[in-house]
Amino acid sequence: MRPLLSVLRTTPAAWSLPVRAVRSPNPWKLDSICSRCRIQQKRQFTQSRRLTDQNAFSVDHPAKLVRVNQKHGPGLIILALIPIIAFGLGTWQVQRLDWKTKLVAKFEDRLVRPPLPLPPRIDPEAISEFDYRRVYATGTLRHDKEMLVGPRMRDGEDGFIVVTPLEREGQSTVLVNRGWIPRKLADQKDRPDGVQKGQVTVEGLLREPWKKNMFTPENKPEEGKFYFPDIEQMAELSGSQPVWIEETMVADLLEAYDRQAKGIPIGRAAEVNLRNNHAQYIFTWYGLCLATSVMLWMLVRKKPNSEAMRRVRQNRNW
């Protein structure tokens, strides 16, 4: 018994060998372990490494969808529609410019003709054929039925347009736009020289009825407030025909100052005052068409995102 104990004391490394084998990172390489234990430990180690690699990949490299070389999309389609729409609007403005130019030429041709006497009774349906035609009529101005339309600005000063029925003896009554007066002379008592009495002859332009825009408020005839000349409404209130005549005067600055000082309405000049801005609209729409076409061409010709392709290649290398 004593020899055996002495032997065991002299060989402590033999007793510690299995413990060191379990702690070794590669225990299956040791010959001191049986084959069955070595196979089982190898499986456990392989499975542990696999789970570790999967967790590291899911944390460090999360899944992400990347679009590469994607040229077409909703934004590109909208950008492609803009030049088409702009070109169509520019072409429409070309047609409008041609129409407006011919219309102005027609009205200017009517202005140079001598004035016509106003018929005893006018057909309202035929007024469009005589728009901007110079006419004259004789009668009595009914100042008791005067209507002020406004406010209207002239040279930075607030005022009104004076509308007075012209009563023709044995003939129909028509509405006459006598011109502009300042607000301070709205009361007839403040402009005695502007209230003409007796027979007068009015010369002016025969005009079509006005059209109200969406921003103008409705008239309040019961309060004597007219924000726009509703010819049908004003003719009914004054017992006149829906015929609108704009009294004209020579475009003279001194004459306008003299009339304003005396309280006489300042009439308009015998000229066509239609706005013709279609040339500017043509330039705007065609310019927009050209600019968006260049942007579309640059976007289509642009190369795909190289950074995105590099990332995709790196993903493939994983």
Side-chain angles (χ1 to χ4, degrees):
M1 188 66 181
R2 290 181 178 178
L4 180 60
L5 292 174
S6 62
V7 171
L8 292 175
R9 290 192 187 99
T10 58
T11 58
W15 289 95
S16 60
L17 180 61
V19 177
R20 288 198 302 270
V22 173
R23 295 177 181 178
S24 174
N26 296 319
W28 53 84
K29 293 184 179 181
L30 301 177
D31 297 335
S32 60
I33 302 177
C34 65
S35 60
R36 180 178 299 178
C37 295
R38 186 167 58 249
I39 293 172
Q40 184 177 3
Q41 289 184 358
K42 186 175 182 181
R43 289 178 179 175
Q44 293 176 357
F45 182 78
T46 304
Q47 185 177 7
S48 176
R49 288 292 302 273
R50 186 179 303 170
L51 293 175
T52 303
D53 293 343
Q54 290 179 356
N55 293 334
F57 178 82
S58 62
V59 173
D60 297 339
H61 305 283
K64 183 179 180 181
L65 296 178
V66 180
R67 289 187 177 183
V68 180
N69 202 18
Q70 185 72 18
K71 292 186 177 180
H72 302 286
L76 188 65
I77 296 176
I78 295 175
L79 184 60
L81 290 176
I82 293 177
I84 298 175
I85 297 174
F87 181 81
L89 292 174
T91 305
W92 177 63
Q93 289 297 328
V94 170
Q95 299 175 357
R96 293 278 297 176
L97 177 62
D98 180 68
W99 167 78
K100 184 63 71 66
T101 303
K102 293 179 179 178
L103 183 65
V104 172
K106 180 175 66 174
F107 290 160
E108 289 180 347
D109 178 69
R110 294 176 181 176
L111 286 176
V112 299
R113 298 180 183 180
L116 294 174
L118 199 65
R121 194 159 190 87
I122 301 97
D123 183 8
E125 301 295 333
I127 293 179
S128 59
E129 301 178 6
F130 293 89
D131 196 14
Y132 275 95
R133 190 69 168 87
R134 295 170 59 192
V135 296
Y136 65 91
T138 302
T140 304
L141 292 172
R142 294 295 304 272
H143 298 288
D144 57 323
K145 296 182 179 180
E146 178 183 271
M147 292 166 280
L148 300 179
V149 181
R152 293 291 187 275
M153 301 294 294
R154 184 179 185 276
D155 296 336
E157 187 176 0
D158 191 14
F160 298 95
I161 293 176
V162 181
V163 180
T164 309
L166 179 65
E167 190 178 67
R168 300 183 296 166
E169 186 177 356
Q171 303 177 16
S172 63
T173 302
V174 296
L175 298 174
V176 178
N177 174 8
R178 301 182 59 204
W180 178 88
I181 58 170
R183 178 179 290 272
K184 61 184 180 180
L185 300 179
D187 194 347
Q188 292 184 4
K189 298 178 181 179
D190 298 330
R191 46 186 170 92
D193 294 338
V195 181
Q196 297 173 304
K197 299 181 180 179
Q199 291 284 330
V200 296
T201 299
V202 177
E203 182 176 337
L205 303 179
L206 187 63
R207 293 300 315 278
E208 282 190 293
W210 289 48
K211 295 181 180 180
K212 173 182 173 297
N213 59 46
M214 60 183 300
F215 303 104
T216 304
E218 296 292 338
N219 292 335
K220 298 179 180 179
E222 65 279 359
E223 301 178 10
K225 297 180 180 180
F226 298 89
Y227 301 103
F228 74 100
D230 188 340
I231 298 179
E232 295 287 343
Q233 183 185 62
M234 300 172 79
E236 183 179 357
L237 290 174
S238 60
S240 309
Q241 272 197 287
V243 179
W244 182 267
I245 299 176
E246 294 185 351
E247 187 175 1
T248 57
M249 59 170 284
V250 178
D252 185 87
L253 186 60
L254 296 178
E255 177 69 18
Y257 285 155
D258 183 65
R259 286 195 172 204
Q260 183 172 351
K262 296 179 179 180
I264 302 175
I266 302 174
R268 57 161 297 172
E271 59 185 14
V272 180
N273 55 2
L274 296 179
R275 293 192 302 175
N276 190 2
N277 298 328
H278 298 289
Q280 300 177 10
Y281 299 150
I282 291 172
F283 176 79
T284 301
W285 289 120
Y286 279 153
L288 179 62
C289 175
L290 178 61
T292 51
S293 298
V294 173
M295 293 173 58
L296 179 63
W297 178 80
M298 294 175 63
L299 185 61
V300 171
R301 291 291 302 272
K302 183 180 179 181
K303 294 182 180 180
N305 191 348
S306 58
E307 180 67 18
M309 293 190 68
R310 185 179 65 81
R311 291 180 181 178
V312 172
R313 285 197 295 268
Q314 289 179 354
N315 293 341
R316 289 178 180 176
N317 293 334
W318 291 346

